[in-house]
Amino acid sequence: MIINPPQEIDNFFVKDYQKLYNAALDYPEYFWENIAKELYWFKPWRKVLDWQYPYARWFVGAETNIVYNALDRHLKTPTKNKTALIWEGQDGLVRTFTYFELNEAVSRFANALKSLGIRKGDRVAIYLPRVPEQIISMLACAKIGAIHTVIYSGFSIEAVKNRLIDEQAKIVITTNGYYFRDKLINTKNTIDEAVKEVQTVQNIIVVKRLNIETNMVAGRDLWFDEVCHKADNICSTEIMDSNDPLFILYTSGTTGKPKGIIHGHGGYMVGVYITLKWVFNLQPDDIYWCTADPGWITGHSYIVYSPLINGVTSFFYEGPPDFPDPGRWWSLIEKYKITKYYTTPTAIRSLMRYGDEIPNKYDLSSLKILGSVGEPINPEAWLWFYKIIGKEKCPVMDTWWQTETGMHIITPFPSTPLKPGSASKPFPGIIADIVDEKGQSVSPNTQGYLVIKNCWPAMFLDVYNNPQRYKELYWEKIPNVYFTGDSAKIDEEGYFWIIGRNDDVLKVSGYRFGSAELESALVAHPAVAEAAVIGKPDELKGESIKAFVILKIGVTPTDNLKKELREQMRKLIGPIATPDEIEFVNSLPKTRSGKIMRRVLKAQELGQPLGDTSTLES
Ligand code: PRX
């Protein structure tokens, strides 16, 4: 099925995708350089791209700061007085910031961080829910050259602790609590527990989101508002090398420990700037809403940095789609006259379950372009989104990318014909392909490994503290190309169809987990001898977590124990990691070298052929 673009493509940035793609293919560096020139640099580059396997460095020798482009630059233009951010809390509280006001808030907090001893290169952890201070903190760090690590506020003590230790954070910013649906989440207590074993944390800065009693440790804990109040509202923006690190964001891989993905100022800035602008055809009067959380890459790139660099007005909402009722998000589209709306397949599927009557009650006519990200979107959900939400007039941008890629890699444009369920084609300047294990391109409609065959500006700089892993995981699986970890197909017309991960990474409601990471949380329970975790197809969440558990000798398998194990996962990783199914087993399929064959478990579970079992222990 093909959905053709709307007639009026005259005002689209990308009018002829193929022409643009071909031009970028012929002269990729010239293509990216011209885009980079639309932004501000303290000093220009000597070289657009320096590729020394396996590291790419973009805009070599240039100096900039992403915050200069996100804020400072606008203060000299009418954008200064434009609304940058409209925030609404789950409780209906509204706060707005013009670009001028946001810059002032960021400058104050940047000065506060400096007064607490934070310097260029220091790591600051941000453990906040979706409140304006989450964005302000990220920008304040970047402004002074500190490296931010945003930790998703749904993570529990152990997950937070591991990240703080790995990055050696000096400061943690959190709230005294917030409501998720009707449940009080006490983030401050989590941090108090998590920092007990982290030597490097000197201060905890607390955003007062709720009027509740809060345990503040004298000398260590400070209120966000108080430190800002004392600070000056003018702060110069640190001059950064184009390849200086901007942030570390932890993401799950195939081993037990999440890895710290590092992105830098210059290349990342160019990549996120242009992708959102072109894919969502950003216009000065847009009210843009991305429902993600800056705890994940989508929030970094497309809630915080790109919208601000592009000078648009963003709406930012604290709560989930269906609380207090399943019309909540639709009511916000009506209230704020959202024009560009970027969300996830899981959110779409969960709202679709309530039927068409709920969205039909709201005026959604302001919408112009819709977007989806994070997991494959099934054609049924795509069409529902297109018909019921977009009223068949808003193209759906199914954007494929990753924490590591930093920016959209495979994506449609509003002017290109769409195929529901396909992320379309590579962004100009990018060569993507589907190959076999030897790196040979496969024929159309054949499943293979999705790889990227050249460099793009927002590609990550490294894995924090682990260059070996960077090399092995991404560049050695198939030599000389970037290995995404996804399987996909390309059809006869060059459209990419993403199938899912080909490694032991799960995508549950769009959240990324490593099987090994989930298993180590289970094995940490005293009753558990061994565990294996697989993802099972799930109509709502894309994948659900199923755990196979071998108990220690003498332990009785009971429902109560299953409950305890679920609780264990919630406690160690977070509620989003709660398994849907736990099965007690006596053995697990293993290779002769003792590695659990999750692939075999999954095939058994789904009643599929077991594939190559020659290495299976008999
Ligand atoms: O499997 C792909 C899936 O999400 C993975 C990356 O996850 P993460 O780093 O958390 O970033 C998510 C937000 C960009 C990919 O390897 N994925 C992402 N977008 C899509 C997708 N799968 C299918 N279609 C997409 N549009």
Side-chain angles (χ1 to χ4, degrees):
M1 175 193 254
I2 293 203
I3 308 267
N4 282 312
Q7 296 304 303
E8 67 290 359
I9 65 166
D10 279 359
N11 80 345
F12 291 164
F13 288 113
V14 176
K15 296 187 184 66
D16 185 339
Y17 164 79
Q18 203 54 52
K19 198 167 151 200
L20 190 63
Y21 186 83
N22 293 346
L25 195 63
D26 289 343
Y27 301 101
E29 292 184 21
Y30 177 73
F31 171 77
W32 290 116
E33 179 173 43
N34 272 333
I35 293 166
K37 283 182 186 162
E38 293 175 24
L39 300 171
Y40 182 82
W41 302 79
F42 296 115
K43 193 175 142 194
W45 44 92
R46 276 196 317 276
K47 204 172 174 192
V48 178
L49 169 65
D50 182 23
W51 168 238
Q52 295 193 24
Y53 176 83
Y55 290 105
R57 294 295 176 253
W58 283 84
F59 309 111
V60 180
E63 288 174 348
T64 187
N65 187 313
I66 196 165
V67 175
Y68 195 93
N69 281 285
L71 294 175
D72 305 41
R73 193 171 54 116
H74 300 310
L75 305 179
K76 297 173 196 135
T77 72
T79 308
K80 175 180 173 183
N81 296 318
K82 183 175 175 177
T83 303
L85 197 66
I86 308 166
W87 173 81
E88 185 163 326
Q90 194 186 255
D91 53 5
L93 185 68
V94 176
R95 292 165 69 190
T96 61
F97 297 79
T98 61
Y99 274 84
F100 175 77
E101 289 163 340
L102 186 60
N103 179 64
E104 208 171 70
V106 168
S107 299
R108 277 188 197 279
F109 190 53
N111 280 326
L113 287 173
K114 275 196 198 169
S115 70
L116 292 167
I118 296 298
R119 299 283 173 266
K120 186 171 174 174
D122 285 344
R123 272 83 55 216
V124 174
I126 301 171
Y127 182 61
L128 286 170
R130 283 181 290 207
V131 289
E133 286 76 7
Q134 193 187 25
I135 296 176
I136 293 166
S137 304
M138 291 167 74
L139 295 165
C141 290
K143 188 174 175 71
I144 60 171
I147 302 167
H148 59 71
T149 302
V150 187
I151 304 175
Y152 175 59
S153 59
F155 278 135
S156 302
I157 301 166
E158 201 64 18
V160 176
K161 187 183 86 184
N162 290 338
R163 286 161 172 79
L164 296 179
I165 292 176
D166 191 68
E167 59 156 336
Q168 299 181 297
K170 278 196 173 169
I171 282 188
V172 184
I173 305 155
T174 190
T175 40
N176 62 340
Y178 69 100
Y179 276 96
F180 182 74
R181 299 203 161 92
D182 46 7
K183 193 167 172 231
L184 174 70
I185 312 287
N186 200 319
T187 24
K188 177 67 170 56
N189 285 355
T190 306
I191 289 295
D192 285 345
E193 282 303 309
V195 298
K196 276 187 181 153
E197 292 168 51
V198 188
Q199 254 105 58
T200 51
V201 173
Q202 293 160 3
N203 293 106
I204 297 174
I205 302 180
V206 187
V207 175
K208 195 172 202 166
R209 173 71 184 96
L210 300 174
N211 279 320
I212 54 171
E213 206 165 307
T214 308
N215 171 42
M216 298 289 277
V217 176
R220 186 195 69 178
D221 300 353
L222 304 157
W223 290 107
F224 190 96
D225 279 351
E226 283 177 17
V227 294
C228 288
H229 189 70
K230 286 191 209 136
D232 201 89
N233 63 358
I234 296 171
C235 175
S236 63
T237 301
E238 189 80 27
I239 296 176
M240 305 298 285
D241 184 274
S242 171
N243 288 291
D244 274 340
L246 165 66
F247 64 83
I248 303 170
L249 184 59
Y250 285 86
T251 190
S252 299
T254 48
T255 64
K257 270 180 73 181
K259 46 192 184 250
I261 300 299
I262 310 176
H263 279 285
H265 276 257
Y268 175 79
M269 166 176 94
V270 173
V272 299
Y273 158 67
I274 202 63
T275 41
L276 192 71
K277 179 171 172 169
W278 284 0
V279 173
F280 282 79
N281 202 45
L282 294 180
Q283 299 297 316
D285 56 354
D286 269 336
I287 311 285
Y288 163 82
W289 181 16
C290 170
T291 66
D293 187 311
W296 311 104
I297 192 67
T298 307
H300 280 63
S301 300
Y302 299 121
I303 290 181
V304 182
Y305 289 112
S306 184
L308 292 173
I309 296 171
N310 278 292
V312 301
T313 299
S314 283
F315 174 62
F316 187 42
Y317 179 60
E318 188 185 35
D322 52 357
F323 184 83
D325 62 74
R328 183 69 177 134
W329 276 11
W330 311 132
S331 76
L332 294 166
I333 292 179
E334 176 181 275
K335 178 173 173 189
Y336 292 103
K337 301 195 168 35
I338 304 295
T339 55
K340 309 285 162 75
Y341 177 63
Y342 194 17
T343 191
T344 64
T346 293
I348 297 166
R349 288 190 292 258
S350 74
L351 292 169
M352 190 173 127
R353 275 189 316 173
Y354 295 105
D356 304 352
E357 310 75 53
I358 307 227
N360 284 345
K361 276 199 268 183
Y362 298 92
D363 177 5
L364 307 178
S365 61
S366 56
L367 289 171
K368 291 190 174 136
I369 293 174
L370 305 174
S372 165
V373 60
E375 36 172 334
I377 178 163
N378 47 314
E380 195 195 350
W382 195 105
L383 285 166
W384 185 82
F385 198 31
Y386 179 71
K387 287 185 182 157
I388 306 302
I389 307 307
K391 315 292 179 208
E392 299 189 35
K393 68 177 178 63
C394 307
V396 176
M397 304 293 102
D398 174 6
T399 58
W400 181 94
W401 56 294
Q402 305 178 300
T403 305
E404 294 86 341
T405 69
M407 62 181 232
H408 302 149
I409 294 292
I410 298 171
T411 176
F413 290 94
S415 59
T416 49
L418 305 169
K419 296 191 185 186
S422 162
S424 292
K425 298 184 182 184
F427 195 87
I430 287 167
I431 306 173
D433 197 6
I434 313 294
V435 299
D436 60 20
E437 55 281 354
K438 293 199 188 84
Q440 301 294 322
S441 301
V442 300
S443 37
N445 295 316
T446 309
Q447 179 171 339
Y449 301 111
L450 173 62
V451 297
I452 306 174
K453 292 186 156 170
N454 64 347
C455 301
W456 64 100
M459 61 202 286
F460 63 134
L461 297 178
D462 213 337
V463 173
Y464 190 63
N465 276 341
N466 212 333
Q468 193 57 29
R469 234 170 136 193
Y470 170 82
K471 203 168 162 201
E472 280 167 16
L473 290 173
Y474 299 104
W475 299 99
E476 285 183 346
K477 296 246 158 111
I478 296 171
N480 286 313
V481 296
Y482 170 77
F483 188 78
T484 65
D486 275 26
S487 289
K489 291 179 190 177
I490 306 180
D491 68 18
E492 308 76 10
E493 286 164 312
Y495 279 68
F496 284 66
W497 296 80
I498 310 294
I499 294 160
R501 300 289 306 193
N502 54 43
D503 49 12
D504 288 320
V505 171
L506 280 69
K507 270 276 168 170
V508 182
S509 303
Y511 299 117
R512 184 167 156 179
F513 296 106
S515 297
E517 181 190 1
L518 301 171
E519 288 156 6
S520 57
L522 285 166
V523 175
H525 190 280
V528 177
E530 277 187 82
V533 168
I534 59 161
K536 271 178 79 171
D538 182 281
E539 260 191 32
L540 182 64
K541 300 191 281 188
E543 276 191 301
S544 64
I545 300 174
K546 168 142 193 190
F548 298 86
V549 172
I550 304 182
L551 294 174
K552 286 194 180 146
I553 299 193
V555 178
T556 318
T558 61
D559 281 347
N560 218 22
L561 185 53
K562 282 189 186 171
K563 234 168 100 190
E564 254 183 57
L565 293 178
R566 276 201 186 94
E567 202 39 51
Q568 164 98 354
M569 304 282 274
R570 295 170 71 86
K571 212 173 118 215
L572 292 192
I573 302 178
I576 49 173
T578 315
D580 283 77
E581 282 177 77
I582 297 180
E583 187 178 329
F584 295 123
V585 292
N586 293 323
S587 66
L588 290 167
K590 287 185 185 163
T591 61
R592 277 175 229 118
S593 59
K595 221 174 137 242
I596 297 169
M597 294 183 84
R598 301 186 188 98
R599 178 178 63 74
V600 171
L601 266 179
K602 192 163 174 166
Q604 276 170 349
E605 182 69 22
L606 304 180
Q608 290 169 348
L610 298 190
D612 178 11
T613 51
S614 55
T615 58
L616 191 67
E617 189 188 46
S618 50

